[in-house]
Amino acid sequence: METEFTPWLSLGGGIMIGASAVLLMATNGRIAGISGLTAKIFARKSDGEARGVSALFVLGLLLAAPLWLLVSGGWPQQWVPTNTVLMAVAGLLVGFGASYGSGCTSGHGVCGISRGSARSIVATVTFMATAFVTVFVTRHVIGG
């Protein structure tokens, strides 16, 4: 499996992610960690404003692909494995990691590092090292 290198799209996406994190912090004083925002939506005890802001932020994420369709005329290219068991295990591991690590890649990697948080730097290095090893093992050891 080979992927296309798209530096301009990647740069644009990074700018939008950074801008949205800055805007959320500047306007609401909240960290743009997706696992934390999603948890606020479904929390039993949450003030209405926190729940509403979180829901709008996550809705914006979900509307990105349909917006891309309107702008470009085609859906974004995405490859997803068809192995349902593998996807379920991967989802559980990601959920466990986000819970155990007190945040996800967006909260630690985008927001935590920019605030100089040592805990976020360690978490992001751990995420990235695990991703590198996983891709290497999947592509070169087990031949996925």
Side-chain angles (χ1 to χ4, degrees), residues 84-104:
T84 310
V85 173
L86 178 65
M87 293 295 287
V89 169
L92 289 171
L93 288 172
V94 168
F96 173 77
S99 178
Y100 188 71
S102 299
C104 59

Side-chain angles (χ1 to χ4, degrees), residues 50-83:
R51 182 172 283 154
V53 167
S54 298
L56 286 174
F57 196 92
V58 172
L59 179 65
L61 293 174
L62 297 173
L63 291 176
L67 179 61
W68 180 261
L69 174 65
L70 289 174
V71 170
S72 72
W75 289 102
Q77 295 297 312
Q78 182 72 30
W79 178 83
V80 179
T82 56
N83 186 330

Side-chain angles (χ1 to χ4, degrees), residues 22-36:
V22 168
L23 283 171
L24 186 64
M25 177 60 82
T27 59
N28 292 62
R30 300 193 195 300
I31 299 292
I34 305 310
S35 61

Side-chain angles (χ1 to χ4, degrees), residues 18 21-22 25 31-32 106-118 120-121 124:
V22 168
M25 177 60 82
I31 299 292
S106 56
H108 285 300
V110 175
C111 302
I113 288 177
S114 65
R115 293 179 302 129
S117 167
S120 290
I121 292 168
T124 304

